[in-house]
Amino acid sequence: MTILWLKALHIFFMVAWMAGIFYLPRLFVYHAQTTDQAVRDQFKIMERRLWLFVTPFAFLTLFFGVALIVTYGLDWLKHSGWLHAKLTLLVGLYAYHFYLLKLLKQFARDENTRSDKFYRILNEAPVLVLLGIVILAVVKPF
């Protein structure tokens, strides 16, 4: 029964984290489009609050994922090729998460040099990574 609770919590926090990962770059799109300083200042507040809100979900996702690995055991980990691929994608997703923090800080200093088109593309990247993670976790192709 413990493993089911760990899975449920892992999935819940992952979904909450992904909601923020999908929305923050969308805020960057709108922020990059505006020239009104009052609107920019409002976006800065929204972006900072969102990043601070979803970051604990990123860590809780990691915590419950590690708890699952520990519960299943190291032998299981060693023989689960799909999990190695999933973990590789996750490293990229966490790097993306902290790259968003770097961009957030640039916006906070009014130092953005990128177009809204850049942020639109950036906004779509985690969708493909999430698709890969879900396929690996559910289908376990190797």
Side-chain angles (χ1 to χ4, degrees):
M1 187 60 86
T2 300
I3 219 152
L4 296 178
W5 279 104
L6 292 175
K7 284 182 182 182
L9 291 169
H10 179 66
I11 292 168
F12 170 78
F13 288 117
M14 180 274 301
V15 169
W17 177 34
M18 288 298 101
I21 288 289
F22 294 153
Y23 189 52
L24 185 56
R26 179 54 50 186
L27 288 176
F28 291 164
V29 169
Y30 303 137
H31 194 153
Q33 289 176 329
T34 189
T35 56
D36 183 320
Q37 189 59 44
V39 175
R40 283 183 182 166
D41 291 341
Q42 186 62 44
F43 277 122
K44 290 175 192 179
I45 293 167
M46 293 168 63
E47 292 158 356
R48 183 177 50 83
R49 286 182 179 171
L50 179 60
W51 198 86
L52 291 172
F53 180 72
V54 300
T55 297
F57 299 146
F59 288 111
L60 288 165
T61 300
L62 179 63
F63 174 81
F64 287 106
V66 169
L68 279 167
I69 291 170
V70 169
T71 302
Y72 275 110
L74 291 179
D75 193 50
W76 172 80
L77 171 63
K78 188 168 48 173
H79 293 96
S80 299
W82 65 270
L83 183 57
H84 295 223
K86 178 188 172 196
L87 292 173
T88 301
L89 291 175
L90 282 171
V91 167
L93 203 52
Y94 279 93
Y96 177 86
H97 180 88
F98 287 99
Y99 178 64
L100 293 179
L101 175 62
K102 178 184 175 189
L103 296 173
L104 184 147
K105 288 179 178 181
Q106 288 175 351
F107 274 113
R109 296 187 305 264
D110 291 320
E111 295 175 356
N112 175 52
T113 58
R114 294 181 176 88
S115 70
D116 60 301
K117 184 176 181 180
F118 170 82
Y119 294 109
R120 286 179 197 280
I121 294 168
L122 187 70
N123 184 218
E124 295 166 6
V127 174
L128 299 174
V129 175
L130 179 60
L131 175 63
I133 289 169
V134 169
I135 288 171
L136 288 165
V138 174
V139 178
K140 297 176 179 55
F142 48 89

